[in-house]
Amino acid sequence: MSKVTTILLLFCGVILGTAQAQNACIDCHRLKTPGIVSDWELSKHSRNAVTCDVCHGSGHSSTDDIANVRIPTPAVCAPCHETQVAQFTKGKHADAWAASNAMPTAHFQPMAMMSGMKGCNGCHKIGLKTEADIRKLKSEGQGYGLASCDACHTRHAFSKTEARQPQACQTCHTGSDHPQWEMYAGSKHGVRALLRQNGTLHESIAGPTCQDCHMSKGNHEVRTAWGFFGVRLPMPKDERWAADRTTILQALGMLDPDAKPTERLETAGEIDVMRLSDDAWQIERDRMTRACANCHSSRFASGELAKGDDMIREADHVMADAILEVASLYRDKLIPRPGNYPYAFPDLLTFHNAPTEIETRLFKMFFKHRMRTFMGTFHMNPDYALWNGWSELVEDYTAIKAMAENIRFKQTK
Ligand code: HEC
Ligand code: HEC
Ligand code: HEC
Ligand code: HEC
Ligand code: HEC
Ligand code: HEC
Ligand code: HEC
Ligand code: HEC
């Protein structure tokens, strides 16, 4: 939006909301919620007449009408921050709500883990909600967690300085299946940036933040070449790898036993789970290589990124073998194939709700150790790539083989 329109909008806001109503919000809330008012006072918004009612409406102005307050969505920020809202909407963060609710495992989760602010949707609340989602959240009770835009520059300071720190990503990009914070903080990249942050190193020393690599030039559209699942189309030329990836996509329910696309693959396409063409993949890879080239030679960077690709290929081979082992137990009717599993393969998307120990181990192998193997490689963390990743993956494989053998032995006795 142009500066002129911004100024006009602000001007209208000041004229429309009477000066008294604005003071009323602040005066009363200074007593009721002092932390919110003092944060707002620190923000650029307070210096630009973006008062409480600009975001929350003026439907509530006393203790009797609190239900009439507006809980803002990104649409409320859009008139003044069109660029960021448009970029965000095109990126992966915007899909986070839909992605988590589309998972088969969503139905097995306790309600508090799904309705927002806790568990799955404590992190996935960053995604845009549809009108129907918002109605549902409201009908379930309070209906907060609609904003998305307060995930990195938190309310009510809405500070760019906060958003630029790698800790702004920490709450969500952590833990079992996506420990980017841990991998980054322990890598030379993170160590440099964190020593700069605490004042030990010079303030201009090179040490990339998450944002330098993933939101370069302040671009709010986040997306990577391989994504979370580390799968993509078309299939690679390498035949062994193509066969392994087919098996993995079958266990994700995205290809059927005849390797034909399923409805799930369609949904995955809609929520941008993977890159579906070489071009789409290359755009993201080039964007990343350009970010590295601020500090390294492009040759160096491309070579390092290729090692991440190699580790996906290697991990896929071990992974696919383990999947086929479990599938063979279904085929030979040695463990029951759960009725809700769509195909002849174990369904990785049931997460930890898999019914047997061997299937649960397979889930962990995929979501925890296969992820760490390639994510650790991409994030320059040798310990995550090897000991927390590849080494554990190989151990899972041995354990799954042993469990399968045991099941077969028991049945034949
Ligand atoms: C006379 C006091 C008073 C005035 C004036 C007032 N509020 Fe409130 N407001 C409250 C109280 C009390 C609550 C409930 C706090 C609680 O739940 O602890 C509240 C809650 C809120 C909430 C949170 C609602 C929720 O669902 O949790 C927002 C947002 C809010 N007020 C914004 C405003 C805005 C904007 C104005 C001015 C247009 C305003 N308030 C004027 C007293 C006031
Ligand atoms: C009525 C217009 C308006 C609305 C609505 C609005 N903002 Fe702003 N915002 C501004 C202005 C003006 C600035 C200061 C711009 C400047 O100084 O460059 C600003 C600055 C910011 C900044 C940068 C702060 C910094 O430290 O430099 C962030 C982040 C921000 N807004 C987020 C939001 C979010 C999130 C929403 C919606 C929940 C929102 N804004 C709604 C007008 C608005
Ligand atoms: C409130 C939680 C939350 C915060 C904070 C957060 N993210 Fe995310 N991020 C997510 C979720 C959830 C996804 C998965 C989105 C989906 O379902 O498609 C994601 C996806 C991503 C992706 C896309 C990966 C892919 O699949 O290609 C990148 C890159 C990313 N985030 C970077 C960041 C960076 C950098 C920050 C900090 C500046 C950050 N995120 C802050 C929750 C968060
Ligand atoms: C601690 C925060 C957090 C929790 C809890 C969490 N997620 Fe995520 N989820 C993320 C982040 C961050 C990503 C992106 C990671 C990446 O790209 O490496 C993600 C990725 C995903 C993706 C992949 C989306 C895509 O497009 O690639 C799905 C699906 C998903 N999560 C579902 C769930 C479900 C279902 C639950 C609960 C059982 C859950 N998540 C719990 C943060 C979380
Ligand atoms: C730039 C937009 C913006 C302005 C200005 C703003 N808020 Fe908010 N407010 C938000 C957002 C975003 C949320 C989080 C909504 C959600 O849960 O998704 C929120 C949530 C709240 C809540 C409920 C959640 C909580 O933490 O208790 C209260 C209360 C509140 N605001 C009060 C105020 C008061 C008082 C003012 C003025 C001093 C104010 N807000 C100014 C954007 C704004
Ligand atoms: C994943 C983290 C993240 C999310 C989510 C996020 N932002 Fe930002 N935002 C940032 C970062 C990082 C910066 C600082 C960029 C830079 O260095 O210029 C920023 C800066 C801004 C600025 C200041 C721009 C400037 O150049 O002064 C505005 C305005 C803003 N964001 C609005 C929004 C709005 C609106 C949303 C929701 C659609 C949103 N942001 C969601 C991380 C985020
Ligand atoms: C030095 C650059 C760099 C930094 C710093 C960095 N990343 Fe990454 N990130 C990458 C690369 C490279 C990939 C893999 C891209 C691809 O798929 O080709 C990646 C991938 C990701 C993904 C997708 C899944 C995965 O791990 O492969 C997410 C999510 C992510 N990064 C989040 C973060 C967060 C959050 C931080 C900070 C805690 C961070 N990154 C720091 C370069 C970086
Ligand atoms: C903001 C600058 C910056 C960016 C951007 C950056 N790096 Fe680095 N990188 C460094 C610094 C500084 C070191 C530490 C050098 C050392 O260990 O002597 C480093 C170290 C490394 C190392 C370890 C090298 C060694 O000698 O042990 C690798 C590998 C690496 N970077 C790859 C990448 C890749 C790939 C990207 C892009 C995804 C990238 N870097 C982006 C600054 C950066």
Side-chain angles (χ1 to χ4, degrees):
M1 175 168 85
S2 76
K3 281 234 163 74
V4 180
T5 357
T6 313
I7 291 164
L8 266 175
L9 256 172
L10 289 175
F11 188 65
C12 296
V14 173
I15 303 271
L16 288 175
T18 66
Q20 210 186 2
Q22 287 156 22
N23 290 337
C25 311
I26 293 159
D27 289 347
C28 187
H29 274 275
R30 208 186 293 284
L31 301 172
K32 299 292 180 195
T33 57
I36 288 178
V37 175
S38 58
D39 266 6
W40 174 79
E41 281 171 337
L42 286 174
S43 73
K44 286 214 174 137
H45 288 145
S46 71
R47 273 167 274 150
N48 287 278
V50 186
T51 45
C52 319
D53 54 308
V54 173
C55 292
H56 291 292
S58 30
H60 140 71
S61 57
S62 75
T63 46
D64 306 324
D65 55 8
I66 293 162
N68 298 336
V69 82
R70 174 172 72 199
I71 300 298
T73 62
V76 168
C77 325
C80 306
H81 303 304
E82 197 184 354
T83 310
Q84 287 80 11
V85 174
Q87 290 171 340
F88 177 90
T89 304
K90 278 195 283 168
K92 290 277 295 173
H93 277 146
D95 294 319
W97 183 262
S100 119
N101 289 293
M103 287 299 107
T105 191
H107 305 292
F108 303 113
Q109 302 301 327
M111 178 90 146
M113 295 293 122
M114 297 310 296
S115 69
M117 317 290 230
K118 303 274 186 290
C120 308
N121 284 344
C123 300
H124 285 265
K125 70 175 184 187
I126 195 173
L128 289 178
K129 285 121 209 126
T130 61
E131 286 302 323
D133 294 331
I134 294 172
R135 268 198 306 280
K136 182 160 176 284
L137 278 174
K138 287 194 171 147
S139 75
E140 279 164 4
Q142 304 155 327
Y144 304 101
L146 307 182
S148 309
C149 302
D150 57 353
C152 304
H153 23 68
T154 54
R155 64 180 189 271
H156 282 83
F158 293 108
S159 151
K160 196 154 77 176
T161 307
E162 179 188 354
R164 282 179 173 154
Q165 310 309 316
Q167 288 91 343
C169 325
Q170 183 177 1
T171 314
C172 307
H173 288 275
T174 186
S176 183
D177 51 346
H178 34 65
Q180 282 99 9
W181 169 261
E182 294 87 330
M183 299 181 300
Y184 164 76
S187 74
K188 278 295 167 215
H189 286 151
V191 167
R192 276 260 197 142
L194 296 174
L195 287 176
R196 178 181 61 212
Q197 197 182 48
N198 78 13
T200 307
L201 292 178
H202 191 271
E203 60 184 26
S204 70
I205 197 161
T209 59
C210 319
Q211 292 84 340
D212 287 333
C213 295
H214 292 292
M215 295 185 70
S216 94
K217 303 197 176 80
N219 188 349
H220 279 57
E221 180 185 349
V222 300
R223 183 182 296 97
T224 61
W226 280 105
F228 173 63
F229 285 113
V231 288
R232 71 179 185 99
L233 292 175
M235 286 295 173
K237 291 202 181 65
D238 177 334
E239 276 175 30
R240 190 190 83 174
W241 194 5
D244 293 337
R245 195 186 295 163
T246 301
T247 303
I248 289 172
L249 285 167
Q250 284 168 326
L252 288 167
M254 293 176 189
L255 293 179
D256 73 8
D258 300 323
K260 296 270 171 321
T262 65
E263 226 171 273
R264 239 194 225 174
L265 183 69
E266 215 170 284
T267 311
E270 278 159 19
I271 54 180
D272 203 9
V273 165
M274 62 179 109
R275 310 290 76 74
L276 297 173
S277 70
D278 281 332
D279 284 350
W281 185 88
Q282 198 62 49
I283 287 172
E284 301 305 332
R285 175 51 59 88
D286 290 348
R287 183 151 76 152
M288 185 60 78
T289 316
R290 277 197 301 277
C292 314
N294 283 321
C295 304
H296 298 288
S297 81
S298 303
R299 253 167 61 83
F300 173 82
S302 309
E304 290 305 313
L305 293 175
K307 290 177 192 165
D309 303 341
D310 287 350
M311 283 320 295
I312 295 182
R313 188 188 62 230
E314 294 307 316
D316 282 359
H317 191 54
V318 188
M319 191 66 228
D321 213 7
I323 291 169
L324 292 174
E325 184 67 62
V326 177
S328 78
L329 296 176
Y330 294 156
R331 186 197 59 215
D332 299 342
K333 304 206 162 31
L334 294 172
I335 54 171
R337 183 168 66 81
N340 58 338
Y341 284 20
Y343 306 110
F345 289 87
D347 185 356
L348 292 174
L349 294 192
T350 52
F351 290 42
H352 47 249
N353 297 100
T356 64
E357 203 185 344
I358 190 169
E359 289 158 297
T360 310
R361 187 76 186 240
L362 191 72
F363 154 77
K364 262 211 176 136
M365 180 177 183
F366 181 74
F367 275 93
K368 197 168 174 190
H369 302 137
R370 177 177 170 278
M371 297 298 186
R372 289 173 177 208
T373 301
F374 75 87
M375 293 177 178
T377 310
F378 279 133
H379 287 99
M380 318 305 158
N381 189 308
D383 185 49
Y384 268 85
L386 185 75
W387 297 117
N388 285 305
W390 178 253
S391 165
E392 294 277 350
L393 187 85
V394 173
E395 237 178 79
D396 292 330
Y397 177 77
T398 314
I400 285 169
K401 285 281 185 196
M403 280 188 236
E405 203 172 308
N406 205 13
I407 291 168
R408 287 187 184 280
F409 178 71
K410 273 196 193 141
Q411 294 284 333
T412 48
K413 233 179 28 172

